[in-house]
Amino acid sequence: MAAEQPNQSEYNRSRVMRFLYNNGVSSRAQIAKALGLTPAAITKITAKLIDEGLIGETGEIEGARNRRSIGLLLNPERFHVIGVKFARSLIQVGLFDLAGDARQIWVDMTADHPSIADMIASLKALIGRIMARFNTVVAIGMAVPGPYLRDCGHTAVVSSMRQWRDVNFPAEFADAFAVPVFIEQDARAGALAQQLFGADDAQDDLAYYLIGEGVGLGVVERGHTIDGARGTATEIGHVSIDVNGRRCDCGNYGCLERYCSAVAIHEALDATLDEDGGIVAGSDRMTHIEACEALFTLASNGDARALELVRRAGTYVGYGLVTIINAFNPRRIIIGDIVSHAGAPLLEAAMHVVDDRVLPELAETTAVTLSELPTDAAVTGAAAVAITAFLEQPSRFADLARRRRGD
Amino acid sequence: MAAEQPNQSEYNRSRVMRFLYNNGVSSRAQIAKALGLTPAAITKITAKLIDEGLIGETGEIEGARNRRSIGLLLNPERFHVIGVKFARSLIQVGLFDLAGDARQIWVDMTADHPSIADMIASLKALIGRIMARFNTVVAIGMAVPGPYLRDCGHTAVVSSMRQWRDVNFPAEFADAFAVPVFIEQDARAGALAQQLFGADDAQDDLAYYLIGEGVGLGVVERGHTIDGARGTATEIGHVSIDVNGRRCDCGNYGCLERYCSAVAIHEALDATLDEDGGIVAGSDRMTHIEACEALFTLASNGDARALELVRRAGTYVGYGLVTIINAFNPRRIIIGDIVSHAGAPLLEAAMHVVDDRVLPELAETTAVTLSELPTDAAVTGAAAVAITAFLEQPSRFADLARRRRGD
């Protein structure tokens, strides 16, 4: 995702943009000091950014030694990006401002389309309508299930999205719109969203543990995602927790995904239908999301059988946490997507495993929380991918925005 | 390990040093072009490096468009580093030139010392003698078994080195000698050695899979090691391959290390002693290294029971490979240390597992080989850690060398 830096000027503009993005209203002197830029350089850079409409001046603010100076501000609502998340049963599309706040979310169900081609046509039409309505959109980010082979542009494992296996994402979308499209594995996009928009201060060592229809992981180490040679690193869903376990579509045995994904929980739920009506009546006619939400509601209302099933899933979520800690040693792990909606009982069961199986030195210093982003982290993450690209080449995108507005 | 860059000049000198280190004899014009430096800058930088004795001029070489120009050369034999590898039963100490070639290796057996304090005193005395003899030594690298908690300076897991748990490595060694000491987890040091000295061209995405008395992993991604927040990432030896498996000293169950380390193989070997004399007679009175080497010799001579035990270990090595590929997706995995000496039968059994369990797209594009470094990769890796520091701050180390020589 790290785009080539076109030149040193754009690189310095990007540094100033990112400083304002992370620190809010700041004076030229504060920015220059933080980035080691001369007064002449900061004057030139900010003049260009103001001219391009990327930043604006506020009134006077309190500077160093009580001196008053003009504040600079990056207005996150002046530009927008579209984030798209592909999952097995649905596509989510969101319009976001640069702060990662969703202005609107659209959902398109796979079941409503006779074919993938039809679904893609429908998605393109939707994005076209959004872009026609908002000429402030400057980039599109897409989050796709892993393992996503970045170099050849398609997903390699089919278990979570069998029907999408023949779609080449860059070929299908890269030139489909008037703005650039950036594609990332879904959990990695989620990790970028947590890094960019998460509740805590900027975090440079975190992991986003996506437990939805598939199970994935994105890891940010020293500020950068771990990608691997072909883009398929951190595929925790296909790391075996039992080499003698259940066969997975990927070829491996005992893949974590086979035990705690929404699909696996739905299967376990359906298996209870034979026992006097099952935990959730009619679960076999529900989507995975519906079945899981019904189960979690029952569990939070204290239904003993539902609670037990949630805790069992939480135990497997915990085995995954143990592996994540030993393999990646992040400072924070944020659990998100469908299964995280089970809340406290799931997290408690998972942390019981962590406390039992992880070295105390590491268990004590690894924070594990449920995602608190108001929107699904992978959709927000798709937006984060586009916003990161925007911040890396601000003048390129400002120029694009100008042309889109017809200035 | 990335030391703070003291200033821009040192940074540019470091870039030139690394270019010459990786590319051999080059002209000023070639270096300037590759690094984007002006003729004035390259003249100034190389003058300083020549003055400090870090590089020298060769005769004329063929340049661009057949023009002749003076060649520049980094002489790897002018400076030396000491590499130290700590393992359960022994400490290895090597004197290396900057090309990673070992001039001499010393081995000190744990069993020869009444206490850790005595062993440390003996090690310090040995290093002191080497440094007195070679005033060209400018840095020391140490490779210690993981999980090594970088921030507090000691190893966290005790299974492979119980008696060392109370040693604080930086406190013990950082100021013990006239030159700086750099400490790294052993498998990560091995990965750096493969990157710096490996047979192939420079590799930016590789993993070193250490299978010795412990099992460890070092991963280089885009040229940098994956470290984690506290330095304990890539601890493959404590990733579970069976959540219902054998308990490990680290608290986890089914840790890979419990199935294919030299210790685990030795245990399996000793267990055969009850069966008509065992595979290796008297294995229970041997060190882990001796027992494994005896087993591997028998296997390579075609002993059926020995071969079967080696293949069983290889199957577990393969389960580890599957996890490494799915978790880190390196371009190359190099297997090293004691267990890699089993050679072809072990590798074949491991690759059988990989072919069966890894996605074909990834299995086909991940090279797996046995280490070909003439010296143990972790000892060489300890040297690599020191050499990397040297190349990052060449003038600092040149100055140190000058003072050591008494110039």
Side-chain angles (χ1 to χ4, degrees):
Chain A
M1 201 194 40
E4 286 284 311
Q5 297 302 340
N7 58 47
Q8 185 68 28
S9 310
E10 182 81 325
Y11 175 66
N12 277 331
R13 286 192 292 272
S14 169
R15 291 175 70 212
V16 171
M17 287 289 283
R18 277 182 288 187
F19 183 85
L20 284 172
Y21 190 85
N22 294 325
N23 297 280
V25 175
S26 312
S27 71
R28 285 179 177 78
Q30 287 168 333
I31 303 169
K33 188 177 174 200
L35 303 182
L37 292 166
T38 64
I42 195 74
T43 301
K44 187 176 162 197
I45 293 165
T46 55
K48 169 93 170 167
L49 293 174
I50 290 171
D51 181 53
E52 294 178 319
L54 288 161
I55 64 173
E57 289 188 329
T58 66
E60 288 197 334
I61 59 167
E62 189 121 338
R65 281 165 299 189
N66 293 326
R67 275 187 286 188
R68 316 277 311 164
S69 50
I70 301 286
L72 294 173
L73 171 77
L74 188 159
N75 183 349
E77 286 162 25
R78 213 189 131 100
F79 298 98
H80 292 92
V81 299
I82 293 173
V84 182
K85 178 192 175 186
F86 294 85
R88 182 171 177 162
S89 58
L90 56 80
I91 295 179
Q92 282 175 276
V93 179
L95 178 70
F96 293 83
D97 66 25
L98 297 187
D101 289 327
R103 183 156 172 161
Q104 202 170 332
I105 297 284
W106 296 262
V107 175
D108 198 2
M109 304 303 295
T110 310
D112 296 342
H113 296 277
S115 70
I116 287 295
D118 186 72
M119 188 150 189
I120 288 176
S122 160
L123 172 65
K124 286 181 177 172
L126 171 62
I127 292 176
R129 286 195 301 278
I130 300 171
M131 288 186 55
R133 219 172 106 206
F134 299 94
N135 65 9
T136 47
V137 171
V138 288
I140 298 169
M142 294 184 168
V144 302
Y148 174 69
L149 291 158
R150 187 174 293 201
D151 46 1
C152 49
H154 65 81
T155 56
V157 159
V158 292
S159 55
S160 69
M161 232 172 52
R162 189 177 300 274
Q163 67 273 46
W164 286 91
R165 73 160 97 187
D166 294 325
V167 176
N168 185 295
F169 287 88
E172 194 64 64
F173 296 108
D175 299 316
F177 312 102
V179 300
V181 175
F182 302 89
I183 300 164
E184 186 53 276
Q185 181 249 49
D186 53 7
R188 205 171 287 147
L192 287 168
Q194 299 291 346
Q195 186 192 21
L196 215 52
F197 315 125
D200 274 25
D201 288 344
Q203 287 278 2
D204 280 346
D205 293 282
L206 63 79
Y208 178 66
Y209 184 9
L210 180 157
I211 316 179
E213 291 177 319
V215 173
L217 181 74
V219 179
V220 173
E221 149 120 353
R222 286 192 221 102
H224 298 278
T225 55
I226 296 178
D227 298 339
R230 304 190 66 193
T232 67
T234 67
E235 279 302 334
I236 192 77
H238 299 286
V239 165
S240 175
I241 58 162
D242 179 359
V243 294
N244 305 307
R246 304 173 189 170
R247 180 96 187 191
C248 175
D249 284 0
C250 78
N252 203 358
Y253 291 77
C255 289
L256 179 62
E257 182 165 303
R258 295 283 283 110
Y259 299 88
C260 64
S261 67
V263 177
I265 293 173
H266 193 180
E267 276 173 17
L269 198 54
D270 286 353
T272 68
L273 289 174
D274 296 335
E275 316 156 18
D276 43 62
I279 297 174
V280 173
S283 63
D284 56 346
R285 292 185 307 276
M286 295 179 176
T287 66
H288 302 311
I289 301 175
E290 288 163 355
C292 285
E293 297 292 357
L295 171 71
F296 301 158
T297 302
L298 276 178
S300 66
N301 290 338
D303 180 285
R305 288 164 71 210
L307 258 177
E308 212 229 294
L309 187 49
V310 165
R311 289 195 184 118
R312 205 196 316 158
T315 300
Y316 283 96
V317 169
Y319 296 146
L321 286 171
V322 175
T323 294
I324 293 168
I325 294 170
N326 287 326
F328 302 103
N329 179 30
R331 203 173 297 283
R332 267 183 79 201
I333 302 171
I334 302 113
I335 304 175
D337 220 292
I338 303 168
V339 176
S340 72
H341 301 167
L346 181 107
L347 187 58
E348 276 162 22
M351 292 313 290
H352 183 74
V353 173
V354 170
D355 290 339
D356 188 36
R357 299 188 173 214
V358 170
L359 286 167
E361 289 95 328
L362 294 178
E364 286 158 14
T365 54
T366 312
V368 182
T369 55
L370 302 176
S371 177
E372 290 178 355
L373 289 180
T375 306
D376 177 285
V379 191
T380 312
V385 170
I387 292 166
T388 302
F390 177 89
L391 293 175
E392 272 175 8
Q393 300 188 35
S395 294
R396 175 187 167 204
F397 284 96
D399 190 50
L400 184 65
R402 198 160 42 232
R403 278 186 279 124
R404 287 207 65 220
R405 289 194 307 267
D407 290 6
Chain B
M1 201 195 38
E4 286 285 311
Q5 296 303 340
N7 58 47
Q8 185 68 25
S9 310
E10 183 81 325
Y11 175 65
N12 276 330
R13 286 192 291 272
S14 168
R15 291 176 69 210
V16 171
M17 288 289 283
R18 277 182 288 188
F19 183 85
L20 285 171
Y21 190 85
N22 293 325
N23 296 280
V25 176
S26 312
S27 71
R28 286 178 177 78
Q30 286 168 333
I31 302 170
K33 188 176 174 199
L35 303 182
L37 293 166
T38 63
I42 194 75
T43 302
K44 187 176 163 198
I45 294 165
T46 54
K48 169 93 170 166
L49 293 175
I50 290 171
D51 180 54
E52 294 178 319
L54 288 161
I55 63 173
E57 289 188 330
T58 66
E60 288 196 334
I61 59 167
E62 188 121 340
R65 280 163 299 189
N66 293 325
R67 276 188 285 188
R68 316 275 311 162
S69 51
I70 301 286
L72 294 173
L73 171 77
L74 188 159
N75 184 347
E77 285 161 24
R78 214 190 130 97
F79 298 98
H80 291 93
V81 299
I82 293 173
V84 182
K85 178 192 174 184
F86 294 85
R88 182 172 177 159
S89 58
L90 55 80
I91 295 179
Q92 283 175 274
V93 179
L95 178 71
F96 292 84
D97 66 25
L98 296 187
D101 289 327
R103 184 158 172 161
Q104 202 171 332
I105 298 283
W106 296 261
V107 175
D108 198 3
M109 303 303 295
T110 309
D112 295 342
H113 297 277
S115 69
I116 287 296
D118 187 72
M119 188 150 189
I120 287 176
S122 161
L123 172 65
K124 285 181 177 173
L126 170 62
I127 292 175
R129 286 196 302 278
I130 300 171
M131 288 188 53
R133 219 172 106 207
F134 299 95
N135 65 10
T136 48
V137 171
V138 288
I140 298 169
M142 294 185 168
V144 301
Y148 174 69
L149 290 159
R150 186 174 293 200
D151 46 1
C152 48
H154 65 82
T155 56
V157 159
V158 292
S159 54
S160 67
M161 232 173 53
R162 190 177 299 273
Q163 67 273 46
W164 286 92
R165 73 160 97 185
D166 295 324
V167 176
N168 185 295
F169 287 88
E172 194 64 65
F173 296 108
D175 300 315
F177 312 102
V179 300
V181 175
F182 302 90
I183 299 164
E184 186 53 276
Q185 181 249 49
D186 54 7
R188 204 171 288 147
L192 287 168
Q194 298 292 345
Q195 187 192 20
L196 215 50
F197 315 124
D200 274 24
D201 288 345
Q203 286 278 3
D204 281 345
D205 293 282
L206 63 79
Y208 177 67
Y209 184 8
L210 179 157
I211 317 179
E213 292 178 317
V215 173
L217 181 74
V219 179
V220 173
E221 149 120 352
R222 286 192 221 104
H224 298 278
T225 54
I226 295 179
D227 297 340
R230 304 190 66 193
T232 67
T234 67
E235 279 301 335
I236 193 76
H238 299 287
V239 165
S240 174
I241 58 163
D242 179 0
V243 292
N244 304 306
R246 304 174 191 169
R247 180 93 187 193
C248 175
D249 284 359
C250 78
N252 204 358
Y253 291 77
C255 288
L256 179 62
E257 181 165 301
R258 295 282 284 111
Y259 300 88
C260 63
S261 67
V263 177
I265 293 173
H266 193 180
E267 276 173 17
L269 197 54
D270 286 353
T272 68
L273 289 174
D274 297 335
E275 315 158 17
D276 43 62
I279 297 174
V280 173
S283 62
D284 56 346
R285 291 185 307 276
M286 296 179 175
T287 66
H288 302 311
I289 301 175
E290 289 163 355
C292 285
E293 297 292 357
L295 171 71
F296 302 158
T297 302
L298 276 178
S300 66
N301 290 337
D303 180 285
R305 288 164 71 209
L307 258 177
E308 212 229 294
L309 188 49
V310 165
R311 288 194 185 119
R312 206 197 315 158
T315 299
Y316 283 96
V317 169
Y319 296 146
L321 286 171
V322 175
T323 294
I324 293 168
I325 294 171
N326 287 327
F328 300 104
N329 179 31
R331 203 173 298 283
R332 268 183 79 200
I333 302 171
I334 302 113
I335 305 174
D337 220 293
I338 303 168
V339 176
S340 73
H341 301 166
L346 181 106
L347 187 59
E348 276 163 23
M351 293 312 292
H352 182 75
V353 173
V354 170
D355 291 338
D356 187 37
R357 298 185 173 216
V358 170
L359 286 167
E361 290 95 328
L362 294 178
E364 285 159 15
T365 54
T366 311
V368 181
T369 55
L370 302 176
S371 177
E372 291 178 355
L373 289 180
T375 307
D376 177 286
V379 192
T380 312
V385 170
I387 292 166
T388 302
F390 177 90
L391 293 175
E392 273 175 9
Q393 299 187 35
S395 295
R396 176 188 167 202
F397 285 96
D399 190 50
L400 185 65
R402 197 160 43 231
R403 279 185 279 124
R404 287 207 66 219
R405 289 194 307 269
D407 290 5

